[in-house]
Amino acid sequence: MAANSITENDSNPAALAGKTIAILGYGSQGHAQAQNLRDSGYTVIVGLDPERGSAQQREPTDDVVSPTEAAKQADWIQILTPDETQAELYLAAVAPH
């Protein structure tokens, strides 16, 4: 079976231009993806539950709001929390918006 390779030429970075991207969760994946997107020139907000997230994890330039507020503001949402919490987070913060 042949594997399909996807390269940067297969994407359209302009599709996210002018959009607000919310990163829900700020562990290893959330932090890396938020930083990469921000460094690539995109508008990024981080949805972080103040009871679970650590202020020390945040970059000084990150716009940090609650997950619900991030979902309200975002055009694109990435849920990067542990698998066992994603359904509850989606129902509480994303689905209403």
Side-chain angles (χ1 to χ4, degrees):
M1 174 163 61
N4 292 332
S5 294
I6 298 173
T7 69
E8 63 188 62
N9 295 327
D10 297 314
S11 67
N12 179 10
L16 293 176
K19 306 283 187 201
T20 298
I21 303 164
I23 303 293
L24 303 185
Y26 207 63
S28 59
Q29 283 297 310
H31 177 260
Q33 291 188 38
Q35 186 176 30
N36 183 293
L37 288 162
R38 186 187 63 239
D39 291 351
S40 295
Y42 297 106
T43 302
V44 177
I45 56 176
V46 175
L48 187 62
D49 183 345
E51 294 179 17
R52 293 185 184 208
S54 167
Q56 294 137 351
Q57 292 175 312
R58 300 188 291 229
E59 298 290 324
T61 56
D62 283 335
D63 186 5
V64 180
V65 297
S66 71
T68 300
E69 186 58 33
K72 285 181 192 177
Q73 294 180 28
D75 299 298
W76 183 268
I77 301 170
Q78 292 182 216
I79 300 176
L80 301 169
T81 61
D83 292 347
E84 62 271 11
T85 66
Q86 289 180 6
E88 180 181 346
L89 176 64
Y90 175 81
L91 292 172
V94 178
H97 307 290

